[in-house]
């Protein structure tokens, strides 16, 4: 199973920027090509997909709610994916989770089934 470690959360004022990082362990699945993604969950709300990318190739997908503001990318040498968040809004406040696809995953997003999760990193945007 892929191990995921997030970092980069914090507090920022509206219109500010943050970059989240997710270091993942190398595995056969990540080498062959698998989905990695970012989700978020605000208090009292369901977990929602934000962006996802494949570990091989150049296929990324960003949710409409953040399109034009958030960018997902990866660094193959560092086995890390990033979420660059610009023009942040108070409604972006949530716990952000890095995720990896899993055969027994339960949450579908961007054509992938996710089932492995990091510990989460808090993002708070104040107005």
């Amino acid at each position: 199973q892929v191990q995921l470690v997030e970092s980069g959360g914090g507090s920022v004022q509206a219109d500010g920027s943050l970059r989240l990082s997710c270091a993942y362990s190398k595995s056969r699945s990540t080498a062959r090509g698998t989905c990695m993604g970012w989700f978020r969950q605000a208090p009292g709300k369901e977990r929602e997909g934000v962006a996802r990318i494949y570990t091989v190739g150049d296929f990324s997908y960003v949710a409409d709610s953040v399109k034009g503001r958030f960018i997902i990318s990866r660094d193959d040498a560092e086995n890390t994916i990033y979420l660059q968040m610009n023009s942040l809004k108070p409604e972006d406040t949530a716990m952000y989770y890095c995720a990896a696809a899993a055969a027994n995953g339960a949450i579908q997003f961007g054509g992938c089934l996710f089932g492995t999760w990091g510990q989460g990193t808090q993002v708070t945007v104040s107005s």
Side-chain angles (χ1 to χ4, degrees):
Q1 189 174 0
V2 177
Q3 305 296 315
L4 306 170
V5 179
E6 301 110 328
S7 61
S11 297
V12 66
Q13 289 196 322
D15 293 328
S17 298
L18 282 173
R19 189 177 79 157
L20 306 183
S21 302
C22 174
Y24 60 89
S25 57
K26 257 185 138 174
S27 69
R28 255 184 293 182
S29 64
T30 59
R32 277 199 310 260
T34 190
C35 287
M36 303 285 295
W38 289 97
F39 288 72
R40 66 186 181 184
Q41 188 166 19
K45 294 191 175 181
E46 288 190 359
R47 191 167 295 191
E48 65 168 342
V50 175
R52 71 104 176 99
I53 192 168
Y54 284 98
T55 56
V56 174
D58 187 23
F59 305 105
S60 61
Y61 174 82
V62 179
D64 287 343
S65 58
V66 301
K67 196 168 288 182
R69 300 188 298 122
F70 290 12
I71 300 168
I72 188 169
S73 63
R74 70 172 200 266
D75 184 330
D76 296 338
E78 298 292 328
N79 295 327
T80 301
I81 66 168
Y82 301 98
L83 185 69
Q84 177 66 44
M85 305 185 294
N86 301 317
S87 302
L88 281 160
K89 305 175 181 180
E91 50 264 43
D92 294 318
T93 295
M95 185 71 80
Y96 282 71
Y97 296 91
C98 181
N104 60 349
I107 299 182
Q108 191 171 49
F109 173 68
C112 300
L113 197 60
F114 290 89
T116 301
W117 303 92
Q119 80 282 3
T121 185
Q122 178 68 35
V123 172
T124 302
V125 185
S126 57
S127 57

